[in-house]
Amino acid sequence: MAEEQKFETEEKVERKQKTGMINAKELEEKYLRKGMMPHIFCTGCGIGTVLGLTLRAMEEIDMDLDNTVFLSGIGCSSRLPGYIDVDSLHTTHGRALAFATGVKITNPDLNVVIFTGDGDCIGIGGNHFIHAARRNIDITVIAVNNYIYGMTGGQVAPTTPEGDYATTAPHGNVEPPFDMSEMAMSAGATYVARWDLTKPVQPMKSIKEGLENKGMSFIELLSPCTTAYARQNKVGDIQEFWEWYDDRTMLAEEYEFEEEFSPMEEWEEIKEKMKIGVLKHEEKKSLGERMQEKIEEVKI
Amino acid sequence: MAEEQKFETEEKVERKQKTGMINAKELEEKYLRKGMMPHIFCTGCGIGTVLGLTLRAMEEIDMDLDNTVFLSGIGCSSRLPGYIDVDSLHTTHGRALAFATGVKITNPDLNVVIFTGDGDCIGIGGNHFIHAARRNIDITVIAVNNYIYGMTGGQVAPTTPEGDYATTAPHGNVEPPFDMSEMAMSAGATYVARWDLTKPVQPMKSIKEGLENKGMSFIELLSPCTTAYARQNKVGDIQEFWEWYDDRTMLAEEYEFEEEFSPMEEWEEIKEKMKIGVLKHEEKKSLGERMQEKIEEVKI
Amino acid sequence: MIGEIDLDKAKKAIGDRSQFIHGDTAVAYGALLAGCRFFGGYPITPASEIAEKMAELLPKIGGKYIQMEDELGSIASVIGSSWAGAKAMTATSGPGFSLMQENIGFAHMSETPLVLANVQRSGPSTGQPTLGAQGDVMQVQYGSHGDFAAIALSPNNIQETLDLTIKSFNLAEKYRTPVMLMISADLGHMREMVEIPDEVETFERKEPKVSPEEYIPFGKGEYGKEKVPEFGIFGKGFRTYVTGLTHDEKGFPATDDQEDHDNLIRRQVEKITDDREELTDIERRRLDDAEKVIISYGITSRSAMGALKEGRNRGEKLGYLRLKTLWPFPKHVIKEISEQVDKIIVAELNLGQIYHKVAEHAECEVALADKIGGEVHSPEEILAEV
Amino acid sequence: MIGEIDLDKAKKAIGDRSQFIHGDTAVAYGALLAGCRFFGGYPITPASEIAEKMAELLPKIGGKYIQMEDELGSIASVIGSSWAGAKAMTATSGPGFSLMQENIGFAHMSETPLVLANVQRSGPSTGQPTLGAQGDVMQVQYGSHGDFAAIALSPNNIQETLDLTIKSFNLAEKYRTPVMLMISADLGHMREMVEIPDEVETFERKEPKVSPEEYIPFGKGEYGKEKVPEFGIFGKGFRTYVTGLTHDEKGFPATDDQEDHDNLIRRQVEKITDDREELTDIERRRLDDAEKVIISYGITSRSAMGALKEGRNRGEKLGYLRLKTLWPFPKHVIKEISEQVDKIIVAELNLGQIYHKVAEHAECEVALADKIGGEVHSPEEILAEV
Amino acid sequence: MRKDIRLCGKGGQGIMLSGFVLGKAASVFHDYNAVQMQSYGPEARGGAARSEVVISDEEIGYCGLYQADYMMVMSQEAYNKYNEDLADDAVLLLDDDLVTEVEHDYIGVPCTAIAEDIGAKIVANIVMLGAFNEAGDLVPHDSLEKSVEDSVPSKFKDLNLKALNRGVEKAKEKI
Amino acid sequence: MRKDIRLCGKGGQGIMLSGFVLGKAASVFHDYNAVQMQSYGPEARGGAARSEVVISDEEIGYCGLYQADYMMVMSQEAYNKYNEDLADDAVLLLDDDLVTEVEHDYIGVPCTAIAEDIGAKIVANIVMLGAFNEAGDLVPHDSLEKSVEDSVPSKFKDLNLKALNRGVEKAKEKI
Amino acid sequence: MIEVNEKYCKGCNLCIEFCPRDALEPAEELNEKGVHPPVEVEDRCVNCHLCELICPDFAIIVEEEEEV
Amino acid sequence: MIEVNEKYCKGCNLCIEFCPRDALEPAEELNEKGVHPPVEVEDRCVNCHLCELICPDFAIIVEEEEEV
Ligand SMILES: Cc1ncc(C[n+]2csc(CCOP(=O)(O)OP(=O)(O)O)c2C)c(N)n1
Ligand SMILES: Cc1ncc(C[n+]2csc(CCOP(=O)(O)OP(=O)(O)O)c2C)c(N)n1
Ligand code: SF4
Ligand code: SF4
Ligand code: SF4
Ligand code: SF4
Ligand code: SF4
Ligand code: SF4
Ligand SMILES: [Mg+2]
Ligand SMILES: [Mg+2]
């Protein structure tokens, strides 16, 4: 994916062909519920961008809206299903994946997509998250990682970097953070990708690949919380957020290169960065397939 | 650890010196509550062995019993703290690690040890488990993995191998299992070891190392459930259990060797085995240390 | 998903027409016959056998069984399944029931039909896992935060356990609401003969007959009961937004609006309490000339039957009244009976729960024959309070 | 862990003697003054500010704050902390309170002192997160499975919020039990001036004075209250076995024994209900000549004060009775007052909860002024039911 | 007519199965009503096991035992634990090889020995049940037979029927 | 004496702070009782913000507003949303640069302009508060001054006091 | 050609910062939300669509006509 | 010398199976639990303690005296 970092002319054209097919207004008309815009997200919040990218990915694979269910838990990011004009289940905090399991198993024909936040997904929802991944249930999870509890006003999240500030970490966070994508991979998800939004095309592509993957797909999107996180951590404007991502992330390929070749001291610093890119893509039977096989075997 | 697989004479002597120091009767007198033996575990159940090994490890490091708290959730294995004559908290199903967090943070001088089962630890308790590991809180978790829900009569566990039988998987389990030690490592535990009980000295040593580690130690012990698991999976006697472990486990070092050198087809089979051994041992500040530093920084 | 052929399949999976089975199995059979095709559970004594039976039989008839990672997840999966179109259920006992409370509230708020069988054990906390109790009957109505109206049924024999399980599914669909089937471990593990019914009357979910644009998922019902909206299951183009937030009739968040909230919650409560009389299922014995009446439910009513017989033998003018419907609480019946008798004795396996409801509505003296610790009342223990 | 010096530290951390603060802050201040040195929480509107204040101040005085992974974990950490020797608390709102129910039952069963502040929001389910309600007051007593006796307090202004927080800690220690402080979002986010008290009367945990062998952790108390056993905190050699299973006096499982269970649970309930009168805290106004009385609690009582004034102005012989103690329910007071007046009007921010308790014990007519949807009653709305 | 019946012994002896077979015989294969209750604690592994059956031609209200009118016992521990509320004139059957200290009148049936004799210790419970039913006149014999047939795997049918009938014979000898 | 006061504007204008300062002035720095309530929904981000203060020399019972006797408004949207229960003779102050469509009698204070004039738009709320207090005679001026001093970071003290007094002056001009 | 929906724009400036061609700049006037939405700088846009992709508020549309 | 606590032994035979020297065998008689606890086969034990370590029931003790 590294080649997509630069804006070469050919790519621009390609991108145009891909993304230009439907513009923001058409997107809104086709995919969003009437009368819900402008949305509730703060100025510059990445959640709106995540919504746009998701809809474009859906457009690319021509997803059947009448056969699609979006779910979420509670949080800013979890408000997203309310905007999309499909069946949607805005559940309780942390439990969306368990609800989704019931939806998908019951009707395997439904496309099931979950929006979740870092706290929702791996804070309170950690257990459902790892079990859904273990089962490799055929759903797509789009996790908006803003490193904070946004909706409730900026409390520390299990993803908040050590030393960062939050309303419940007013003297600086003393806990080491989770790497959500890493957890998804260990637990058994078959498609895992992480991107920050400074590269909008790649996440869109990953969402598309995730939707297409027959199994649990996990797409972690690092997204600026311009209110709760930024205010407390002196990230003044969007430029500073970009620097933030630059400082703390590295393309997976580069990372692995550095791991092998960089000198020890340099590596110690690099080590702490988060890998971005498509981190895992594997073929494996989904829970639904395994269940269906069993039913065929025992049915009367 | 591979060298300890054979019973060489010198080792026997060493072992005798280590383990012969206190015999089963003395163990009982020194460590167990009065009048609780014989314990409730079924004939041949490994949980009793786990108890013996734990007490011997405690003896080796001369643990202060008045300053030690054992905790557990619910399950056969979770009944263990009831036998040991120390302060103990037999909590609710899956929550022991969260209770332990409160105990340890409040009084960092206490040694805190948790007994848990596979279901208790990573079934219902998965979220507390990964978060305790992330925080690297200075506690020792001894997880008795018998691949089944023993206490409730043999329902499928998140560790039950695919295809195995359980009362709630009467047609064979369709879900892929968790590797608990793998999850502990990903989540951040600093000492992780897995053993089956056919090798009693190594787990004892790992428990000791776990108790000594200043951070989250996770020791997974594969333990035969001679009732609920064996009955349903046609494991007739203890010999068959040994074969079972032989089939499904491999020493970590061997595994890694095979990974590198065995031909593809062979590897595909080996791959599915569980690595046993000390899987991780790392130095990292514990939650308690980080909290204390912060307190020193801000206290008035 | 359910039809005549399907019922045949269920009967085939169940097997013999007359069986000597325990309450847990009867719940599973009842569920299959009612059309339940999804079970999401987590093992717990003494309810595990329901899950085990469902795990065995559901796949045989194409239904889905899943053991979730915990009870929070199992009730969640059931709600998800219900919206995806299945009649769905879970079963648990005290500790699991407590864990489910948040999502039970969500089921009320989202008006999701489902059945939850609570095979009660002796609490509080882990308590006495294998022993019976009736200690969760108030929790049904007050276990989750905020206001809602519960429906709960309580059978006292195994045939009735099967029958009331079917009824639970029917009420869940009719009222678009979670229904609780409350039995105690004693009944869950007690065996009696049941006859598997040949014909089963089921209530099928009312789906909207209007266009998605006109469909009101959380307001007035059009084709069924007025306060019960139709249920637009997922995948049929209704594009319903289901949320646990306060919402307007269309389902959209209205978290700042006093009126929307009031309308929503009152309708949800009233759709059930308006039908209190219709929902009330009561067994009466020897009330004609009774001066005192024993009120009981579930397994305890079997002891009350003993007490009735014994008391009458001794010349006491005793009557017997059994609540098959615990919630909505049949207050009108209590009021009425309390005007006829001098004294009511409430017998239950707890320290007094339904007793408080009876005391609230009775006009006569009310005594309590309570018992805890895992044993059912002997008839004598009830008579002691008469 | 607590003493004079420590109180000084707490006061220093708190700062100014007179402050214009909201209810959440008052809870945090009260806790620090009462000696609370552990807070295990999980954020939730409108209770998060309690956690935030504790996260800020606790480390400054050597206390411990931790944000757990969820509410199941936060109440668990608090119970663990209490056994490890700290006065400990958590704070939450409806959804979190529902999630905590299983472990609250464990706290009752293990007789663990702790304080839980529930800043109630408009439910059920996610409801209206930022708006106030009093919809969880029955859940306090019936939210967990099985039988237990709750203590719950409800202040109606900010100074009292601080004071009753201190009292909550004292009662928790005195009765070895969880104590619930029930406020609504309105009070949690409302500001008034409070005076930080100079001296604070605290109740210190009764530790056993006998040898570990003689110590009875779950039976008769020796030095304090008879039904409240001493508390042998961890690390002091008592080697207590604490379990949620039914246990004998020594703490050992007795899961098959009817008598042990009966003894245990009845003692646990009676240690609180025996002291009902002592625990009852009531505010009375203008009852001398009252013909009708408004009963209310918490924020609603502020509206009731308005109604009282207005009603009296209009010549109604109105009285006012406010429950600061919700549980154990002050039934004796209700009975007594109901014999003096013709009518009781219960005003609360729900569809009728404490109303049912009042109706159970009152001998006169009882009316309900209910309200839901996030706004407090206007005095007029209460007067409408008079 | 109401018969309050207790079957007890130790875990693993098939006490639950006996109760189940008896209850089924009465209700499914005859026109009595029957209730079977069983008790087990988390601690009951390998300890005393108990199953109680109430049979009646009327509706069965109270489903505990008023007192045990009929009791069959297969271990000493069970006898000691459960003889408390035995009726004075109760029909008490026990394996007198296993239960040796007894304070009540009883009919001894060496069911374990008989079972071993017919080749399978495991059917001792069925031997006992046959004798018990005969001695207590609990349900018609052929209902019991049908219930046994219906309750055991088909390949063990004959063995169990044999066991049942050996029990019946033994009882006839004794009474 | 009881004064029911509403302050409103849009999120970010410092409406909450104004309410806080006023309530504190009344209760901490003067001997009145004061209650401040604020409302915000999850949807309130950037929308209309409202803070209500009740001041009284007696005990304050009902802590909602009977009607708004005093109201200060800093945005048109807030005016539209919250003018409903305005008392007929209410003291209404508003920034007449921002609120242009008004149906009630009011006192216009161009607080934003004044704030910009003294160099910081952000203190517009304090300008307004000064004027409001003066016009409404809510609390003694020096209590308000103390409260402002106590509530803002010390380096902004002078700026805020200046703002407050400019507001007072403006009000004096107008009334 | 860049079309901006002023009603939606919250003024985050992401589009402006993101444009690889500096083809956008803040408008002089405030919109009704009180922010400065972007306006196009003539003859710089190459229709790469990045601004449209990144805009969190569905407020920007890149129209292709001119390219044809 | 091997000492067996017959009251505790549940007859799992782990000790017997585990002994690297085949120094244990099931007793002829049943204990009160109805199982055959292990008995020592003379002159084979090398005091490796494995049986003691593995016994789940604290029922076996290896006494060292004889070695001295
Ligand atoms: C059971 C429960 N606990 C707590 C809350 C309060 N709550 C709502 S959203 C949230 C955190 C959201 O954080 P995250 O998932 O990271 O989403 P974000 O708002 O950052 O997008 C919390 C704690 C709740 N609604 N329910
Ligand atoms: C909330 C709750 N749910 C379910 C149970 C029932 N339960 C008790 S133990 C157990 C499983 C135990 O399995 P595991 O942790 O593997 O322990 P084992 O018995 O196998 O040692 C379950 C489901 C419970 N006690 N509490
Ligand atoms: S609070 Fe943060 S995450 Fe939530 S909408 Fe605002 S910027 Fe986005
Ligand atoms: S059921 Fe299994 S795990 Fe439990 S004691 Fe018996 S053998 Fe051990
Ligand atoms: S990115 Fe969108 S919302 Fe942000 S300034 Fe540009 S047009 Fe406005
Ligand atoms: S389309 Fe590309 S070049 Fe044109 S304004 Fe947008 S970002 Fe700039
Ligand atoms: S000590 Fe070693 S050699 Fe001796 S009996 Fe035990 S296992 Fe065998
Ligand atoms: S290992 Fe222990 S319990 Fe098992 S047979 Fe040997 S002595 Fe007995
Ligand atoms: Mg977040
Ligand atoms: Mg297990």
Side-chain angles (χ1 to χ4, degrees), chain A residues 122-127 129-131 134-136 157-159 162-163 165 171-178 182-183 186-188 284-285 287 290-291 294 297-298, chain B residues 122-127 129-131 134-136 157-159 162-163 165 171-178 182-183 186-188 284-285 287 290-291 294 297-298:
Chain A
I122 206 164
I124 192 168
N127 207 26
F129 172 51
I130 60 177
H131 282 270
R134 171 174 68 81
R135 296 186 180 111
N136 192 31
T159 48
E162 231 179 299
Y165 294 92
H171 311 297
N173 179 24
V174 295
E175 302 196 7
F178 263 135
E182 175 67 36
M183 293 301 294
S186 294
K284 202 174 124 187
K285 270 190 197 159
L287 177 69
R290 283 177 269 114
M291 276 194 162
K294 188 60 76 183
E297 192 186 316
V298 303
Chain B
I122 205 164
I124 192 169
N127 207 27
F129 172 51
I130 59 177
H131 282 270
R134 170 175 68 82
R135 296 186 179 112
N136 192 33
T159 49
E162 229 177 300
Y165 294 92
H171 310 298
N173 179 23
V174 296
E175 301 196 5
F178 263 137
E182 176 67 36
M183 293 301 295
S186 294
K284 203 174 124 187
K285 270 188 199 163
L287 177 68
R290 282 176 270 111
M291 277 195 162
K294 189 59 75 182
E297 193 185 314
V298 304

Side-chain angles (χ1 to χ4, degrees), chain D residues 279-346:
Chain D
L279 282 162
T280 296
D281 198 351
I282 295 279
E283 189 199 355
R284 295 174 161 86
R285 296 186 182 204
R286 317 255 344 225
L287 290 179
D288 288 353
D289 64 339
E291 288 164 4
K292 301 176 177 179
V293 60
I294 302 168
I295 297 185
S296 63
Y297 54 92
I299 191 72
T300 309
S301 65
R302 303 288 289 252
S303 301
M305 280 161 66
L308 174 70
K309 199 165 166 184
E310 188 59 27
R312 282 277 176 177
N313 284 348
R314 292 186 203 161
E316 285 271 13
K317 293 223 161 144
L318 261 187
Y320 163 108
L321 191 139
R322 170 165 76 97
L323 312 179
K324 297 197 221 180
T325 311
L326 296 178
W327 299 101
F329 186 70
K331 60 182 182 186
H332 54 292
V333 176
I334 303 302
K335 187 158 186 310
E336 180 205 307
I337 197 79
S338 72
E339 284 162 357
Q340 294 164 23
V341 300
D342 302 331
K343 184 175 177 183
I344 289 173
I345 302 92
V346 180

Side-chain angles (χ1 to χ4, degrees), chain F residues 20-68:
Chain F
F20 173 70
V21 167
L22 179 59
K24 183 154 70 170
S27 60
V28 177
F29 297 103
H30 190 64
D31 58 5
Y32 290 155
N33 292 307
V35 172
Q36 184 220 0
M37 300 193 79
Q38 62 199 44
S39 80
Y40 64 104
E43 260 94 85
R45 279 172 244 249
R50 177 175 60 160
S51 173
E52 294 179 341
V53 181
V54 178
I55 293 176
S56 176
D57 54 3
E58 290 166 46
E59 180 191 31
I60 298 172
Y62 178 51
C63 38
L65 304 192
Y66 284 98
Q67 4 174 252

Side-chain angles (χ1 to χ4, degrees), chain D residues 5 45 148 217 237 240 246 255 268 325 329 338 357 359 376:
Chain D
I5 292 160
T45 305
F148 53 88
T240 314
T246 294
T255 52
Q268 289 183 355
T325 311
F329 186 70
S338 72
K357 295 304 298 176
V376 298

Side-chain angles (χ1 to χ4, degrees), chain D residues 36-350:
Chain D
C36 174
R37 292 301 174 267
F38 181 91
F39 187 100
Y42 189 78
I44 188 165
T45 305
S48 299
E49 288 89 342
I50 301 176
E52 290 168 2
K53 198 39 101 182
M54 292 302 259
E56 181 195 338
L57 301 186
L58 269 175
K60 293 192 179 181
I61 59 172
K64 305 290 167 66
Y65 169 88
I66 189 165
Q67 183 173 310
M68 293 296 289
E69 47 275 14
D70 55 26
E71 288 89 346
L72 305 159
S74 55
I75 179 82
S77 73
V78 168
I79 296 172
S81 174
S82 186
W83 279 97
K87 293 187 183 178
M89 81 171 293
T90 188
T92 189
S93 188
F97 196 52
S98 289
L99 286 175
M100 290 180 183
Q101 290 304 327
E102 190 199 10
N103 281 337
I104 289 173
F106 181 87
H108 281 289
M109 192 66 151
S110 58
E111 303 181 59
T112 307
L114 63 85
V115 172
L116 189 163
N118 180 344
V119 189
Q120 295 160 93
R121 59 193 234 183
S122 170
S125 198
T126 320
Q128 300 175 300
T130 60
L131 304 185
Q134 298 176 317
D136 311 350
V137 291
M138 287 298 265
Q139 197 184 8
V140 168
Q141 181 54 73
Y142 294 115
S144 197
H145 59 286
D147 297 290
F148 53 88
I151 298 182
L153 308 182
S154 174
N156 81 345
N157 65 46
I158 308 304
Q159 181 73 49
E160 193 175 275
T161 299
L162 188 150
D163 297 342
L164 290 192
T165 304
I166 296 172
K167 183 170 179 181
S168 296
F169 277 94
N170 290 346
L171 294 179
E173 296 295 340
K174 181 170 173 188
Y175 291 94
R176 248 191 82 176
T177 199
V179 173
M180 311 288 149
L181 184 78
M182 305 295 286
I183 66 180
S184 82
D186 311 285
L187 205 60
H189 284 163
M190 177 177 115
R191 284 193 176 79
E192 287 181 327
M193 189 188 71
V194 302
E195 296 281 350
I196 309 303
D198 227 13
E199 296 296 324
V200 177
E201 216 178 297
T202 63
F203 188 99
E204 297 312 317
R205 200 164 280 195
K206 288 265 176 287
E207 294 188 43
K209 291 194 193 113
V210 293
S211 70
E213 291 69 37
E214 293 165 299
Y215 171 46
I216 302 289
F218 297 99
K220 203 164 156 296
E222 300 274 340
Y223 310 104
K225 299 188 68 76
E226 185 169 354
K227 289 184 177 169
V228 184
E230 285 70 37
F231 193 89
I233 69 173
F234 288 172
K236 300 219 170 170
F238 290 105
R239 306 194 179 184
T240 314
Y241 181 41
V242 184
T243 176
L245 289 168
T246 294
H247 42 275
D248 62 20
E249 291 192 335
K250 270 300 207 180
F252 299 122
T255 52
D256 274 345
D257 195 309
Q258 197 269 329
E259 215 175 291
D260 276 333
H261 188 82
D262 191 270
N263 286 342
L264 178 72
I265 305 303
R266 284 193 201 267
R267 179 183 55 72
Q268 289 183 355
V269 167
E270 287 166 8
K271 74 180 178 184
I272 289 162
T273 56
D274 283 358
D275 278 9
R276 189 185 307 271
E277 304 201 3
E278 194 183 325
L279 282 162
T280 296
D281 198 351
I282 295 279
E283 189 199 355
R284 295 174 161 86
R285 296 186 182 204
R286 317 255 344 225
L287 290 179
D288 288 353
D289 64 339
E291 288 164 4
K292 301 176 177 179
V293 60
I294 302 168
I295 297 185
S296 63
Y297 54 92
I299 191 72
T300 309
S301 65
R302 303 288 289 252
S303 301
M305 280 161 66
L308 174 70
K309 199 165 166 184
E310 188 59 27
R312 282 277 176 177
N313 284 348
R314 292 186 203 161
E316 285 271 13
K317 293 223 161 144
L318 261 187
Y320 163 108
L321 191 139
R322 170 165 76 97
L323 312 179
K324 297 197 221 180
T325 311
L326 296 178
W327 299 101
F329 186 70
K331 60 182 182 186
H332 54 292
V333 176
I334 303 302
K335 187 158 186 310
E336 180 205 307
I337 197 79
S338 72
E339 284 162 357
Q340 294 164 23
V341 300
D342 302 331
K343 184 175 177 183
I344 289 173
I345 302 92
V346 180
E348 47 185 345
L349 289 173
N350 54 46

Side-chain angles (χ1 to χ4, degrees), chain A residues 16 24 28 39 41 49 239, chain G residues 8 10 17 52 54 56 64:
Chain A
K16 189 198 71 177
E28 183 186 344
H39 54 53
F41 310 112
T49 306
Q239 285 279 11
Chain G
Y8 290 181
K10 292 186 184 139
E17 303 279 357
E52 185 174 350
I54 208 76
E64 313 260 329

Side-chain angles (χ1 to χ4, degrees), chain G residues 2 19-21 23-24 45-51 62:
Chain G
I2 305 297
C19 174
R21 300 266 306 162
L24 298 169
C45 176
V46 292
N47 290 348
C48 73
H49 282 272
L50 264 183
C51 53
V62 182

